[in-house]
Amino acid sequence: MRIQQVLSAAVLMLVAGTVSATDRSYFSHVQLGYTQGDFEITVPGLGSAEEDDDGFTLDASFLVNDNVFIAAEITKLETEDSDVEIDEMRLGVGARTRIGGNTDLFGVLQFGKVELTIPGVGSADDDGFVITGGASINPSPQVNLFLKAGYVLFDESDGTDLSFGVSFDVAPSAALILKYRLLSLEDDFDIEYDQKGFIVGTQFQF
């Protein structure tokens, strides 16, 4: 069933409608951001533990043509007190279609991997696919609003990945960004992992 879901998502993206949009900022960019939030683990019968974390994110998107783009993401976080490291990467392909004069709907299919490293204990990782849908809206030539909702289908865990934010152009090829992200995963042992936080940074458009 999982393979069928992944293949169906890929087909839907490849047959997305054509568009002749002039604004490429959201789909051809490199974002570098600083993130600060908290990381929480909940173990059934034992309760939960929560810590502040911070780190950086790198988000890149490159248009192959007017509709299809390559999407890549890297996130590196570390908790404040126990120095737990959370490393995440994603790489995949997406497609968009324009509705109205200033709104794009898009879908993305990515391979993803997440690794958790606990000092003195070791590390564990999980990988699989992430299917994401979203919207990019330009209420003015300088402002872009975006919303993404994803479903994570890893080998030993699954969950949701939600984010939304805004970018504001400060130069023809540069913008400031602010966004919020919430990643929630649950593994095969019903252990829950939640990471949420704000991201501020810069975006370079081309």
Side-chain angles (χ1 to χ4, degrees):
M1 182 62 179
R2 182 170 296 181
I3 296 299
Q4 292 174 339
Q5 291 173 321
V6 171
L7 292 177
S8 297
V11 170
L12 286 173
M13 288 188 295
L14 290 176
V15 300
T18 59
V19 60
S20 179
T22 57
D23 180 51
R24 292 169 172 257
S25 62
Y26 186 80
F27 301 97
S28 279
H29 70 249
V30 175
Q31 290 180 0
L32 180 61
Y34 169 76
T35 178
Q36 188 172 48
D38 61 73
F39 177 66
E40 182 178 8
I41 298 180
T42 303
V43 181
L46 296 178
S48 62
E50 184 175 358
E51 269 195 64
D52 292 339
D53 62 30
D54 66 354
F56 77 88
T57 65
L58 179 64
D59 184 318
S61 179
F62 306 93
L63 275 168
V64 178
N65 56 39
D66 280 342
N67 307 307
V68 179
F69 58 93
I70 304 298
E73 301 172 42
I74 296 174
T75 301
K76 294 185 71 69
L77 302 171
E78 184 172 320
T79 60
E80 189 174 274
D81 297 324
S82 58
D83 298 327
V84 173
E85 297 178 1
I86 306 148
D87 297 315
E88 184 182 2
M89 62 79 62
R90 294 180 186 180
L91 177 64
V93 62
R96 67 172 183 170
T97 183
R98 174 144 291 200
I99 58 170
N102 65 348
T103 301
D104 287 293
L105 300 181
F106 60 89
V108 186
L109 174 62
Q110 294 172 298
F111 172 80
K113 180 177 179 179
V114 62
E115 182 176 10
L116 187 69
T117 303
I118 302 176
V121 177
S123 62
D125 61 71
D126 198 8
D127 57 47
F129 293 95
V130 183
I131 302 171
T132 304
S136 170
I137 305 170
N138 291 101
S140 74
Q142 292 79 30
V143 178
N144 176 250
L145 307 175
F146 51 89
L147 168 68
K148 297 195 297 183
Y151 185 53
V152 181
L153 291 161
F154 284 174
D155 289 338
E156 299 176 6
S157 60
D158 57 20
T160 58
D161 186 4
L162 306 175
S163 63
F164 58 90
V166 59
S167 68
F168 181 80
D169 291 352
V170 293
S173 60
L176 300 177
I177 60 168
L178 172 64
K179 58 184 175 181
Y180 178 81
R181 184 192 183 200
L182 170 60
L183 175 66
S184 298
L185 297 175
E186 183 175 333
D187 67 16
D188 293 340
F189 300 99
D190 297 329
I191 299 175
E192 298 177 1
Y193 307 84
D194 296 307
Q195 196 285 320
K196 57 182 179 291
F198 286 95
I199 301 168
V200 295
T202 57
Q203 174 174 284
F204 302 96
Q205 301 148 186
F206 46 89

